[in-house]
Amino acid sequence: LLLSIIAVFGKMLAAIGTLGVKVDRLLIGIGMVPRGEVGLIFATIGLSVGVFDDELYAVVLLVVLITTLITPPLLRWRLGSAPRQEESIESIPVVVPEAGWLSVVDDEIKLNATPPNSQFLTVGLDCALLAVQARPGSELLDWVARLRNLPLAFDARCATQLLTILREGNERSWRFLEISAILDRALPEVARTMRRRHSNLSELDPTHSFEFPCVESLRSKTLISSTDSDALMFAAFLTDLESGSADTLTVIDHLNLDIYIANEIKDLLNGSRLLRAAVAREPIRTDHKTLSEIAQYLRNANTVERARLLASASGLQTWQDAALLDVTTAVKQILAHPELLEDSESSVAAMRLREVLEFADTPEIAERLKHAPPSYLLSRDTETLLRQARLVEPAPAPGSVRVNVQQGPQPDTWMIDVACKDRKGLLARITSVLANEDLSVLAADVATWPDGAVVDTFLVASQLRPSKEHLVDLFGLAIRRRFQIPRRIQGPIAIEFDNDAHPWHTVVNIRAMDQVGLLNAFAFAFAKANIQIHHALIQTTDNTAIDRFEVSDRTGRKLPAKTIARAERWIRLSEQKTNS
């Protein structure tokens, strides 16, 4: 510690050599602090000839390490707190040289004249592009350092320059933007991402912090000179930043892009996430509901193809690339046939509705079916739709329950329809009854109408037919009373929360050993975390429950990290003694 203090203050005193020159002496002293390879060389020689013992050699190594590590934060502190030394040049009339502000002479970038402060960002971006093949000259670097505190903001021209850097620049370009503090002032989210890459101890080659693999991949896959790829290149840039946890929406705001381009970039980013989620794991999700959601979100084949390019460039495996082609082909087929879209008058859901309405007994039941969710219409046969519509019409009063019990598709299986008014934790309350009655849920589906009426359908296993009247009493009591803590379930439980797999909701995939009370434990955890369930797909295969939930918070938005952590904590607690 003593040697480190001497090393630091010794360098500070050395800055006295700048007397008579108008400079920041403290900044120079801090810049001289690191004891690098020279100190190591002398220490190694001293050890080899016997002047140093092992203990003193270790002390010198520690001094080198300490002085090297403390210098960057000290420099950043001094650069941010030092008084501004910008020259007042805005009032001086400046004529733009015929050759422009910059020129390259002998592989060195030189200033042809001193630009006004208002041109700093434009000149800096031009210099970053020239830095691909040349190095900045001393006069240029002095000018950049002099204006290091100048606030910067993007305009349309600067955004175009950044796009050119994405297409034609390299690591040297981004290195210049970093050392000139352009990123810190104009795109702070990008600067923070770069610093996170620098500090990644698992990265053996820190020069990779200036690489953008998605952008590089797209360079070889797209016509980069075409203006049609502008939004795609920006989206690739933001995809690379997402890997560093950058706030991409804030970056888009800072770029000050045209609103149409900004919206196009957001659509491509979200479309790419949806496509990546569809091929994230086997089996590939190619069901009509998933493909229809992607088609409805992207809306046209051109956007689908560019979202595919972006997803492919973001680093997929070979089998995922092949699957991605199949998924996008299916999405394009849906877009080519609007009748396949769920919100179209000629959609499959609309045709299904017209077919069912022919058998409706009363105008009230017909009206109930007209307002049913499209996925509900497509997933049930006509007889089931009519039976459940009769059950839920008129809408049940709060606290009241109606129940149907039908023979299931297999022996010793039963289909239970539960109609009631929606309320907080409804699924948890209903499934608690099923668990207490030792009814194992093999499959389940949930439908909610805009007026709050709900029909929950459960396929359960039981040797005896469940009593309809008994279930009505139990369900009614469960809805009116407080939550019951679910029974303990046997693990392990695999949980995945995915905010990218759906445009509007968070998708929760849960896999666990099939057992009585499993669905109740999940529904209870969601209720305790204030999570709203919009759709649930419950399946059982080879004694393994595979459950998929589409959920949101109480405001209808995707789940934030705190809510996800709370839900997962409640699910994990179900593996322990829940009565604690």
Side-chain angles (χ1 to χ4, degrees), residues 112-156:
N112 297 324
T114 303
N117 291 5
S118 59
Q119 295 295 306
F120 181 86
L121 183 55
T122 299
V123 175
L125 292 171
D126 283 339
C127 183
L129 194 58
L130 293 174
V132 171
Q133 299 290 343
R135 66 183 187 279
S138 57
E139 184 182 359
L140 173 62
L141 292 176
D142 288 342
W143 176 70
V144 168
R146 195 162 57 244
L147 300 178
R148 64 180 177 269
N149 293 311
L150 185 69
L152 304 176
F154 267 77
D155 56 20

Side-chain angles (χ1 to χ4, degrees), residues 262-417:
N263 289 335
E264 190 177 357
I265 294 171
K266 294 174 186 177
D267 288 344
L268 289 174
L269 288 172
N270 291 327
S272 172
R273 295 188 193 110
L274 289 174
L275 292 174
R276 290 202 305 269
V279 299
R281 63 187 62 83
E282 294 182 303
I284 304 302
R285 289 167 48 198
T286 55
D287 56 282
H288 179 76
K289 183 178 185 296
T290 300
L291 298 176
S292 181
E293 286 173 349
I294 296 174
Q296 288 185 57
Y297 190 83
L298 297 179
R299 289 295 178 185
N300 65 77
N302 184 35
T303 306
V304 172
E305 179 59 22
R306 288 187 295 163
R308 183 192 70 80
L309 287 170
L310 183 60
S312 178
S314 60
L316 297 178
Q317 299 181 32
T318 304
W319 68 269
Q320 290 176 314
D321 257 329
L324 188 63
L325 283 173
D326 294 337
V327 170
T328 51
T329 300
V331 171
K332 290 176 183 178
Q333 288 174 348
I334 292 177
L335 290 171
H337 298 278
E339 68 273 10
L340 297 178
L341 286 174
E342 291 183 353
D343 62 350
S344 169
E345 286 295 325
S346 57
S347 68
V348 174
M351 291 188 289
R352 177 84 178 117
L353 175 61
R354 288 194 292 270
E355 175 187 331
V356 176
L357 289 179
E358 294 180 3
F359 300 93
D361 302 323
T362 65
E364 290 77 17
I365 291 178
E367 193 66 21
R368 172 65 60 186
L369 290 168
K370 288 179 182 178
H371 291 89
S375 58
Y376 172 77
L377 293 171
L378 293 171
S379 60
R380 291 161 174 80
D381 57 37
T382 301
E383 181 182 350
T384 302
L385 289 171
L386 292 171
R387 184 184 73 245
Q388 294 183 349
R390 296 186 190 108
L391 186 67
V392 79
E393 182 58 39
S400 67
V401 180
R402 300 171 193 155
V403 176
N404 265 337
V405 178
Q406 301 284 333
Q407 177 67 51
Q410 302 293 333
D412 295 333
T413 63
W414 308 93
M415 192 71 71
I416 300 177
D417 298 326

